[in-house]
Structures are given as C-alpha cells and as structure tokens.
C-alpha cells in the first residue's frame, strides 16, 4: 500500500489540487470540504470533482527523460441549486483558487498551473448545473 509520499505523479497532482481547493476560503464557503479526487458514489451537492486526468512527457528530450510531465485535468463543479448561479459561483471560485497557484505536489516540483478553459451549463436532466474547468500543469521529478 502506498502512503501519501509514494503517490504517482498524477495522483500526487490531483491530491495537491484537492488540498488547494479545500484550503481556499471562497471554495470552502461554497462547497465546504466536498472536493474529491475520485467521484463519490452518491455525491452531496454542490461539489467539485477531478473528473478526468491525463499526462504525457514534456520538454526537451533531456527534461522529458528526467521526469518532466504535462498534466491536463478536468474539474467538474456540480450543483442542484435549481439554476446555474451556484455552479457559476463555484466555477469562478475554483478558477481563482487554482490559476497560477503553487500547491506542493508530493515528489514533484510544480513548474506551472493554469486554468485554460471554463464553461457552465445545465445538464440534460435540467436539475443539475455543471461547471467544467480544464487545468494544465507541468511538473518535474525532484
């Protein structure tokens, strides 16, 4: 079993993002501690979930060979408020908390963290409103 210091690069970045969001006062005011690296079976709304994550080697061959990674994360902000207002507020708070942030990533050096895209919309069931953010990060092995 891996401890927190033995996380792989993707799990370490997801944990750092979740921790940063849980520590951000504006995010906590809206979703409390309901920020999840893995989607819960029956989520309590509103919440934020790391819904997709991918990574690939990054940089010149010598940097990529030494562990440089580009990570692309999709965060989903979900609300059952009855309209998009709450999803918009959560999405804005998440964007403000993460864009150019520098959370500590276990076993990695965070080079950059940027929010590159955000969208808010009603889900097909018309009860759920969703905010989707895409986050790009670059990390290097320590």
């Amino acid at each position: 079993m891996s401890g927190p210091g033995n996380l792989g690069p993707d799990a370490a970045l997801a944990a750092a993002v979740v921790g940063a969001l849980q520590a951000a006062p504006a995010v906590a005011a809206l979703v409390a501690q309901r920020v999840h690296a893995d989607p819960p079976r029956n989520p309590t709304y509103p919440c934020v979930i790391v819904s997709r994550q991918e990574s690939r080697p990054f940089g010149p061959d010598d940097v990529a060979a030494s562990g440089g990674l580009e990570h692309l994360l999709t965060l989903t902000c979900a609300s059952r408020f009855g309209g998009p207002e709450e999803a918009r507020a959560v999405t804005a708070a998440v964007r403000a908390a993460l864009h150019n942030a520098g959370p500590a990533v276990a076993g990695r050096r965070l080079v950059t963290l940027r929010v590159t895209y955000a969208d808010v919309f009603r889900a097909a069931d018309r009860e759920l409103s969703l905010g989707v953010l895409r986050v790009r990060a670059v990390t290097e092995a320590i």
Side-chain angles (χ1 to χ4, degrees), residues 4 18 23 27 36 44 52-54 57 60 67 81 113 129 134-135:
V18 167
V27 176
H36 310 285
T44 300
R52 181 179 168 94
Q53 190 171 4
E54 63 181 282
F81 180 71
L113 181 73
S129 290
R134 296 214 177 85
V135 177

Side-chain angles (χ1 to χ4, degrees), residues 17-35:
V17 165
V18 167
L21 292 175
Q22 288 176 335
V27 176
L30 294 165
V31 301
Q33 293 296 299
R34 294 184 302 272
V35 181

Side-chain angles (χ1 to χ4, degrees), residues 45-104:
Y45 298 100
C47 64
V48 179
I49 299 166
V50 178
S51 53
R52 181 179 168 94
Q53 190 171 4
E54 63 181 282
S55 62
R56 60 181 152 251
F58 180 78
D61 289 337
D62 57 333
V63 174
S66 67
L69 291 173
E70 175 186 34
H71 307 262
L72 302 171
L73 291 86
T74 302
L75 304 177
T76 302
C77 305
S79 167
R80 287 202 181 272
F81 180 71
E85 296 86 2
E86 187 174 59
R88 278 191 196 115
V90 174
T91 300
V94 168
R95 178 194 293 242
L98 289 182
H99 192 70
N100 289 326

